Amino acid sequence: MGRYLLRRLLQTIPILFGVSIIVFVIIHSAPGDPYAYLFGPRIDPTLRARLMEEMGFNDPIPVQYVRWLKTTLSGNLGYSIRTQEPVINMLAQAIPRTLLLTGSSFLFGLAIAIPIGVISATRQYSLIDYAATTFAFMGISLPSFFAALLAIYFFAVKLPIFPMNGIHTPGGGGFWDVLHHLILPAVTLGLRDMASYARFTRSSMLEVLRQDYVRTARAKGLAERLVIYKHAFRNSLIPVITLFGFSLPALFGGAVIIEQVFTFPGMGLLTFEAVNNRDYSVLMATNLFFALLVILGNLLADILYAIADPRIRYA
Amino acid sequence: MALTHPKPNPNQPQFDGLVPHETSYARMVLRRFVRNRAAMIGAAILLILILVSLFAPVITQATLGWGRDEIDIRYIRAAPSARHPLGTDSAGRDNLTRLLYGGRVSLAIALGSVVVYMTLGILVGSVAGYFGGWVDNVLMRLVDVIQSFPFLMFALTIVAIRGPSVSNLVFAIVFLSWPVPARLVRGEFLSLRERDFIEAARAAGVGPFRMVLRHLLPNAMAPLIVNATLEVAGIILAEAGLSYLGFGVSQPVPTWGNMLSEANNMAVLQTKPWTWLPPGLMIFLTVLSINFIGDGLRDALDPRLKQ
């Protein structure tokens, strides 16, 4: 396991390398420059040309890439062109917020999805099962930002029990205050995961209930509760773990839109602003961060898989 | 023993797929699909949506009489009335008219980019799976890299940097989507390569093109069709999200996504739900019906996968 982990971690290095090259080329080969966005069209053309030259934007892209790589590897992520703030500080502020948002929406989705999946599998073709299946289809089909708008309209405007946006009230920021602000974005972001995990748990549970060892457990007279929750349920979770790796990119991608709808100041909003301002160093950092998160998420899914299923051995 | 062909007995119960003249795979698939009520409802709704989108100019001219971008200057952000059944947007354009036009671009982008990325993915997957070796290794590492991008995040970066336009949107979608069919095809090829019928074909001197097209690809079709269908839904959602953020299809061309961005205005969001509710519901309805179709197709193409 240790050697496997080490190998997998080493494998992420070339992947991150590839990601950085692709993002860098796409960002830097586009027309337009950050100063045009920063100062508008009225900037003195000679000043702009001098800035471009001084910052090295006129060098060939491979040269610029190598320079970026050198400074990044030395631990310097650069500075925001717009605010002059070190990118690392901006990330340090935004990353915990986005992890808080995506983490809580994932846990929320899971907490509802798994019971729904188990119940509808144990009562296949019952009214509950049909209701759950319909609900799952609707959850997968509802665009998260539309869900967010609906949530704001109904639970912040018509029935003002939740705040419309932000991460805490100005001047506030206590635990309950943040939680209060977190509920609408986390629920609307988690809706899609909730639906797909419910469907997946159901089908995985149905598969397990058909197995011989479940029949054996029933045959030796175990209570149905014990059969379902001790023997079947735990085994049905194994394939659900694989979904974890797959659903991560969608979860983080969804956060980009949800953060914008709720003006929730995390990585998504940071990216959105960086994109609007052509803030190249911020864009590089956020894109790489998300890629790293996806890679590590997949690795985590594989490790969890090995823990849950002792038949799987990584060497 | 002389075998005479038995006369079909009209009273004899017929078992699916067991009677010789009914074993055509395509017919079996169609039959199973048609029997799936949810999938058929989805197909009907999608057909209606496609027809409405295709004939949007005719329909709107015949009923409301407003042009797609026509501005009714005295009716800006108007409430629903006989003149504007769903009110008007912030530029004074008729919401219902734009709603009917809105599906055109969304559906065209989704269907168009699916065709392009599927072709590209199948091509790459075939090359990797057929030749194997270092070719496979290089292509699959590229797949690993591209699959590490969260879709929306990177699509947003590409479209925003290159400029919001339909072609850049399609480029972003294709660029990020081809690894899935490539992986599917490659995996299928690798498992098929060891099978006897492929061995036999190779012994018979079948060349690479014919091998891929006639013997390998048809066996990989089922998961590809399901992926393509479900991905149409995914692309519609992505296009809507990007257009909502202002980085998809830009005004004045209406899509359901950019019509929803009217809700970015707090006053509109709070007091004029008739402006942003209908386009959101249209996206929901479209994606829901495509998901039903995709699910029905999965069950019909491969009953073993049926849960």
Side-chain angles (χ1 to χ4, degrees):
Chain A
M1 192 72 183
R3 281 187 59 187
Y4 169 78
L5 255 178
L6 188 69
R7 205 180 69 220
R8 281 290 300 266
L9 282 173
L10 287 177
Q11 273 173 359
T12 62
I13 294 172
I15 293 183
L16 274 179
F17 211 62
V19 168
S20 73
I21 292 177
I22 290 177
V23 180
F24 197 89
V25 169
I26 284 189
I27 289 179
H28 289 259
S29 62
D33 63 78
Y35 298 106
Y37 286 78
L38 188 55
F39 300 114
R42 281 184 301 169
I43 179 176
D44 175 22
T46 51
L47 172 66
R48 186 167 134 195
R50 212 187 73 211
L51 278 172
M52 290 285 287
E53 186 63 42
E54 273 175 13
M55 296 301 286
F57 285 117
N58 293 334
D59 297 338
I61 287 174
V63 176
Q64 291 192 48
Y65 176 76
V66 170
R67 189 167 52 225
W68 172 84
L69 194 64
K70 269 188 192 152
T71 49
T72 304
L73 287 181
S74 69
N76 181 359
L77 287 177
Y79 299 86
S80 159
I81 295 174
R82 201 168 67 99
T83 60
Q84 302 301 326
E85 209 183 329
V87 174
I88 193 102
N89 292 1
M90 301 170 86
L91 290 191
Q93 219 171 28
I95 287 173
R97 291 170 177 168
T98 293
L99 290 182
L100 179 70
L101 173 64
T102 48
S104 48
S105 69
F106 180 75
L107 288 181
F108 160 78
L110 218 57
I112 297 196
I114 289 183
I116 287 183
V118 171
I119 291 170
S120 58
T122 48
R123 298 183 202 164
Q124 200 184 3
Y125 303 129
S126 68
L127 198 64
I128 293 179
D129 184 27
Y130 280 117
T133 306
T134 313
F135 163 78
F137 263 108
M138 292 171 79
I140 294 170
S141 308
L142 194 65
S144 62
F145 63 98
F146 183 54
L149 292 175
L150 287 174
I152 294 178
Y153 184 69
F154 286 109
F155 299 109
V157 175
K158 290 279 141 185
L159 197 71
I161 44 177
F162 291 110
M164 272 199 271
N165 52 33
I167 188 170
H168 54 69
T169 39
F175 175 78
W176 294 111
D177 189 34
V178 172
L179 186 69
H180 193 208
H181 281 77
L182 199 60
I183 289 177
L184 285 190
V187 169
T188 47
L189 181 59
L191 215 55
R192 195 186 158 80
D193 271 345
M194 192 203 300
S196 51
Y197 276 93
R199 254 167 78 80
F200 212 72
T201 309
R202 173 181 181 270
S203 56
S204 160
M205 190 74 185
L206 283 176
E207 184 71 35
V208 170
L209 285 175
R210 253 183 259 140
Q211 299 292 319
D212 286 341
Y213 58 81
V214 170
R215 194 176 310 137
T216 310
R218 281 202 180 115
K220 72 176 182 185
L222 281 187
E224 184 66 14
R225 281 178 61 107
L226 219 61
V227 173
I228 287 173
Y229 291 102
K230 186 135 185 277
H231 292 247
F233 174 64
R234 291 163 95 183
N235 283 308
S236 77
L237 283 185
I238 294 172
V240 175
I241 293 171
T242 49
L243 193 60
F244 174 67
F246 287 119
S247 65
L248 274 184
L251 187 62
F252 294 128
V256 176
I257 292 193
I258 291 293
E259 287 185 4
Q260 211 274 334
V261 178
F262 287 97
T263 25
F264 188 92
M267 291 294 283
L269 206 60
L270 189 63
T271 311
F272 186 73
E273 281 164 4
V275 137
N276 271 326
N277 299 313
R278 305 245 156 162
D279 212 335
Y280 291 163
S281 34
V282 178
L283 267 184
M284 282 302 292
T286 54
N287 270 295
L288 278 179
F289 168 75
F290 276 111
L292 182 67
L293 223 50
V294 170
I295 295 169
L296 292 182
N298 279 320
L299 182 59
L300 187 65
D302 285 348
I303 294 171
L304 287 176
Y305 204 61
I307 293 174
D309 189 346
R311 285 170 305 181
I312 295 169
R313 289 259 176 272
Y314 296 120
Chain B
M1 190 165 80
L3 272 178
T4 51
H5 199 76
K7 287 225 165 63
N9 177 357
N11 297 325
Q12 192 184 335
Q14 301 220 327
F15 297 106
D16 284 343
L18 291 180
V19 185
H21 65 265
E22 284 187 352
T23 45
S24 151
Y25 179 60
R27 193 180 285 185
M28 256 162 54
V29 169
L30 188 68
R31 171 180 293 230
R32 280 196 290 258
F33 184 79
V34 168
R35 245 186 238 153
N36 185 329
R37 200 183 301 156
M40 285 307 282
I41 293 175
I45 293 176
L46 188 67
L47 188 68
I48 294 172
L49 287 171
I50 291 176
L51 287 177
V52 167
S53 304
L54 272 179
F55 295 109
V58 187
I59 298 172
T60 53
Q61 273 312 311
T63 51
L64 295 157
W66 297 105
R68 191 190 78 183
D69 305 332
E70 195 176 332
I71 291 167
D72 195 1
I73 195 70
R74 284 173 303 124
Y75 286 80
I76 283 174
R77 285 188 189 156
S81 63
R83 188 180 170 92
H84 298 289
L86 288 179
T88 58
D89 66 8
S90 54
R93 299 171 296 199
D94 185 63
N95 277 333
L96 183 57
T97 305
R98 291 175 73 75
L99 191 71
L100 295 179
Y101 271 96
R104 301 187 119 197
V105 184
S106 304
L107 288 168
I109 287 180
L111 295 175
S113 26
V114 163
V115 171
V116 178
Y117 92 76
M118 270 288 157
T119 315
L120 184 66
I122 289 174
L123 205 69
V124 174
S126 304
V127 170
Y130 186 84
F131 292 106
W134 67 268
V135 180
D136 178 41
N137 220 328
V138 168
L139 289 174
M140 285 305 115
R141 294 297 79 73
L142 189 61
V143 163
D144 285 344
V145 168
I146 292 181
Q147 286 203 320
S148 319
F149 290 111
F151 187 98
L152 264 177
M153 170 89 192
F154 194 55
L156 176 73
T157 307
I158 296 181
V159 177
I161 290 287
R162 295 172 63 94
S165 72
V166 172
S167 56
N168 283 339
L169 193 60
V170 172
F171 169 78
I173 292 168
V174 170
F175 183 79
L176 291 169
S177 305
W178 65 265
V180 177
R183 265 209 162 144
L184 274 173
V185 170
R186 171 189 175 265
E188 206 72 23
F189 278 22
L190 287 183
S191 72
L192 288 172
R193 221 162 46 171
E194 310 301 324
R195 298 271 291 273
D196 289 344
F197 74 97
I198 298 295
E199 197 67 30
R202 191 170 291 136
V206 174
F209 275 104
R210 196 179 158 78
M211 182 74 99
V212 167
L213 287 179
R214 288 293 299 269
H215 299 283
L216 289 169
L217 263 187
N219 285 298
M221 260 353 252
L224 284 176
I225 291 174
V226 174
N227 172 263
T229 315
L230 295 177
E231 202 58 26
V232 172
I235 293 173
I236 288 176
L237 285 178
E239 180 274 320
L242 288 172
S243 296
Y244 166 75
L245 291 177
F247 290 110
V249 180
S250 31
Q251 300 281 355
V253 179
T255 74
W256 295 325
N258 70 21
M259 289 177 75
L260 264 167
S261 58
E262 289 270 321
N264 272 335
N265 181 304
M266 270 300 154
V268 173
L269 175 63
Q270 292 181 21
T271 59
K272 302 186 189 324
W274 57 82
T275 298
W276 57 270
L277 266 177
L281 291 175
M282 291 304 275
I283 300 171
F284 174 57
L285 193 64
T286 313
V287 174
L288 187 66
S289 55
I290 295 172
N291 279 334
F292 276 138
I293 296 173
D295 207 56
L297 273 178
R298 174 176 16 224
D299 290 349
L301 285 166
D302 192 350
R304 282 172 308 170
L305 296 176
K306 192 177 170 64
Q307 309 293 351

